[in-house]
Amino acid sequence: MTDHSDHSDHSDDWYLDDEFWRNFGSLMFNADTFARGSQEVQLLLDLLGEHPGTVLDLGCGPGRHALPLADAGLKVTAVDTSPSLLAQLEAALDGRDIEIVEADMREFTREQAFDLVIVMWTSFGYFPDEADHRRVLDRIHDSLKPGGRLVLDLVGLEYLCRHLQPVHLTEYDDGRILVERPDLTADMTRLENEWMLIDGDRVHYHSFSHRVWSAGEIRSLLAQAGLAVESIHGDYAGSDYDLEAERLVVIAQAT
């Protein structure tokens, strides 16, 4: 019997495994999510109240925010570790002037170069070592111009505690089926997830872990890095962050 299963054991560096993004990226980054990305950028720029000149998109993926930011006339630098996702962004440029950089957000810094840094769609929190999250924020602080702003788009711990389901199944139009098994661990500071993608006679399996914060915890962490929280919202439209908010959108300023 032929084994048609792809098993990827849990790794602390799961986000550096490009096979994960090749197998699951098309589920996370599709036409609908790109359309929402354009809407999110417009709402976010309205929420910020002023259009920055230079923007750093950390963990940019295939560019669902970088592309509309460039369309809005901003000078965009897009950073990610995944060669396959960056290749998708490059293929979608269509004349847009976006600087594409393959780099780890723990290492990338450009001294006082940006008016705005964005880390969208829970791209912050991948690391098992708590010091690495502070390291990223220190790099962001150094990369921001004085008074520059950071936008973190996270899933809030408060929302997860109320709405997390032990098993979630999604069936896609092309017949693929995704089974997700999430679990809050480590005193509810980490979200462990197992994903199984059934694609015809093939099964792709991957497990990964992600740090999650309450609104109060992320405020404290940002303050330690010299980033003063201006506001915390439940979505890009500026709604209050409460127990029903699906997103934790934090706007902070470099001090």
Side-chain angles (χ1 to χ4, degrees):
M1 179 180 292
T2 303
D3 184 3
H4 293 289
S5 298
D6 292 338
H7 292 274
S8 181
D9 294 333
H10 174 75
S11 167
D12 287 344
D13 295 332
W14 62 269
Y15 48 88
L16 298 177
D17 181 2
D18 211 43
E19 182 180 354
F20 171 78
W21 301 111
R22 289 195 300 270
N23 287 337
F24 295 96
S26 62
L27 304 181
M28 295 181 281
F29 307 112
N30 53 44
D32 288 341
T33 58
F34 267 85
R36 288 201 301 272
S38 295
Q39 296 169 358
E40 290 162 1
V41 163
Q42 186 55 60
L43 289 170
L44 185 60
L45 293 177
D46 291 342
L47 185 61
L48 290 170
E50 59 184 25
H51 286 206
T54 53
V55 182
L56 170 61
D57 184 357
L58 276 179
C60 65
R64 72 186 198 100
H65 295 105
L67 293 167
L69 283 167
D71 289 338
L74 307 179
K75 183 176 175 58
V76 180
T77 297
V79 175
D80 205 287
T81 59
S82 168
S84 62
L85 295 183
L86 291 177
Q88 293 177 48
L89 171 55
E90 187 169 10
L93 286 179
D94 194 24
R96 298 178 181 90
D97 184 16
I98 297 177
E99 179 189 13
I100 299 175
V101 180
E102 183 181 334
D104 192 311
M105 65 173 66
R106 291 171 294 185
E107 305 295 337
F108 180 86
T109 186
R110 192 170 293 171
E111 196 73 21
Q112 296 188 2
F114 301 101
D115 299 304
L116 174 67
V117 176
I118 63 170
V119 192
M120 306 293 278
W121 215 24
T122 320
S123 295
F124 181 71
Y126 287 170
F127 313 114
D129 187 344
E130 290 290 330
D132 279 342
H133 299 118
R134 171 62 189 275
R135 186 177 179 184
V136 171
L137 294 177
D138 287 339
R139 297 288 188 272
I140 288 172
H141 183 277
D142 292 344
S143 295
L144 282 168
K145 296 178 181 178
R149 299 157 100 183
L150 164 67
V151 173
L152 284 182
D153 167 28
L154 308 169
V155 59
L157 175 60
E158 293 89 348
Y159 179 81
L160 286 175
C161 289
R162 286 175 61 87
H163 298 282
L164 193 68
Q165 299 175 353
V167 179
H168 183 70
L169 185 146
T170 306
E171 186 170 359
Y172 295 89
D173 291 340
D174 61 6
R176 289 182 296 174
I177 298 173
L178 176 65
V179 181
E180 303 171 65
R181 297 179 60 194
D183 187 27
L184 279 171
T185 64
D187 300 321
M188 295 193 298
T189 64
R190 298 203 70 87
L191 181 64
E192 306 287 340
N193 220 323
E194 296 179 0
W195 281 11
M196 182 174 65
L197 176 62
I198 303 169
D199 184 4
D201 62 350
R202 297 197 64 84
V203 177
H204 305 286
Y205 174 85
H206 205 100
S207 63
F208 56 95
S209 177
H210 200 287
R211 179 68 159 92
V212 289
W213 292 271
S214 69
E217 288 171 334
I218 200 66
R219 181 186 289 273
S220 176
L221 182 63
L222 288 165
Q224 294 169 27
L227 294 158
V229 172
E230 290 184 11
S231 55
I232 296 177
H233 305 284
D235 56 29
Y236 302 98
S239 299
D240 291 339
Y241 182 75
D242 56 28
L243 293 178
E244 297 303 321
E246 293 190 23
R247 306 305 301 169
L248 170 58
V249 179
V250 185
I251 301 176
Q253 189 172 44
T255 58

